[in-house]
Amino acid sequence: MTKQNPTHETALAFRALHIPGRPLVLPNAWDTASARLVEEAGAAAVATTSAGLAWDLGTADGDRLDRDRALGAVARVAAAVRVPVSADIESGYAKDAAGVGDTIRAVLAAGAVGVNIEDALYGREGGGEGDDGEGAGDGGRGPLRPVAEQAERIAAARAAADAAGVPLFINARIDTVLRGAGGVEETLERAAAFLAAGADGIFVPGAVDPGTVKSLVAGVEGPLNVLAGPGAPSVAELAALGVARISTGSSIAQAAHAVVRRAARELLSAGTYDSLTGGLDYIELNTLLGGAR
């Protein structure tokens, strides 16, 4: 028997983590430091957050980051950890389906074995978070891509991965709930079309109401991913509903950046340092982040 390459084996391992009722829990990372910390905390995989990654690179979220910069960051994350990595590629960093295929080839070259591809469209202003929807509340809300067009993009992603011999996990994000563009019925219609086109899982940010989640779990013929954070049901509660994947999206990056602003404001106004209490030990952090992999 021919031995499979490590990427193939890693992709299979990542696929196996999506178990309804025993969900894959993803504290999303945005750079090498956050990725290493997430791995060290015990995460079975690392998923990037497009918002956190874009902010780290000095760009707003919402299809504004170019492919090369985005996947350069993904490559650094993948090189920094031993666990599988899934890349949030927003809507595919491409105008058409052929371009999405090119992006997938670049994703695989970067070392990731999963992707999120969203069906939202963005204008010039505002934005929205590719893996979590946290940024979608500003002025850039737009329509969703037509089902047939989005299915074509997903099919191109599937074909590119299959041609490379990698069972890439394609997580199709559906923004019906997040953007108020439809309820459970519309979401399930899109989910069926995207799964038929080659997606492996369905991500519905904004769906945290237990009744809605239960209906989606029952109606989606694949693993369901939801976005969790303050105010959402606990991991245990979502697991009991049959969820297979739980993402935190940009919320950890937002919390980290809040510490920076709070500490800076305190230092510059009051001249005190209370906001810095509870920081990680220097030697521990230096050892973790500076150690060879």
Side-chain angles (χ1 to χ4, degrees):
M1 178 182 294
T2 303
K3 188 178 187 296
Q4 300 288 359
N5 63 57
T7 302
H8 187 280
E9 294 171 352
T10 304
L12 289 177
F14 182 64
R15 280 177 167 275
L17 296 173
H18 296 77
I19 304 172
R22 290 171 49 196
L24 168 62
V25 180
L26 297 170
N28 295 80
W30 62 94
D31 60 8
T32 56
S34 59
R36 291 285 292 275
L37 288 166
V38 165
E39 180 186 39
E40 188 266 345
V46 169
T48 62
T49 156
S50 75
L53 193 151
W55 298 334
D56 186 57
L57 295 175
T59 304
D61 186 34
D63 268 352
R64 299 188 182 207
L65 194 59
D66 65 89
R67 179 195 293 156
D68 290 345
R69 294 182 72 205
L71 296 184
V74 170
R76 291 190 291 275
V77 167
V81 299
R82 296 189 179 97
V83 296
V85 171
S86 182
D88 181 342
I89 61 171
E90 302 191 58
S91 63
Y93 301 124
K95 292 182 178 180
D96 56 24
V100 173
D102 292 337
T103 296
I104 294 302
R105 285 182 278 274
V107 164
L108 297 176
V113 293
V115 292
N116 275 19
I117 304 178
E118 62 188 85
D119 63 355
L121 285 170
Y122 299 104
R124 298 287 299 178
E125 302 299 325
E129 164 58 40
D131 194 44
D132 50 68
E134 292 293 331
D138 31 21
R141 290 198 200 190
L144 305 185
R145 289 186 188 276
V147 173
E149 179 185 344
Q150 183 66 4
E152 182 183 11
R153 294 168 74 87
I154 290 171
R158 177 84 280 146
D162 289 349
V166 179
L168 180 80
F169 190 96
I170 299 175
N171 202 31
R173 170 176 148 173
I174 300 174
D175 272 3
T176 43
V177 176
L178 186 66
R179 293 182 169 232
V184 170
E185 183 177 349
E186 292 81 4
T187 303
L188 293 179
E189 289 175 358
R190 284 182 169 261
F194 299 162
L195 290 168
D200 300 289
I202 297 297
F203 177 33
V204 188
V208 291
D209 171 74
T212 299
V213 172
K214 186 175 181 179
S215 295
L216 291 173
V217 168
V220 171
E221 295 294 330
L224 180 70
N225 179 191
V226 299
L227 173 69
S234 68
V235 168
E237 291 171 317
L238 291 170
L241 293 171
V243 169
R245 175 167 166 170
I246 300 171
S247 304
T248 52
S250 63
S251 58
I252 296 176
Q254 289 173 258
H257 296 321
V259 172
V260 175
R261 182 166 71 176
R262 189 163 55 246
R265 287 179 172 177
E266 180 189 355
L267 178 63
L268 296 171
S269 59
T272 54
Y273 326 102
D274 293 342
S275 297
L276 300 177
T277 302
L280 290 174
D281 177 77
Y282 171 86
I283 294 177
E284 178 187 4
L285 193 58
N286 199 48
T287 299
L288 173 66
L289 300 181
R293 302 301 288 163

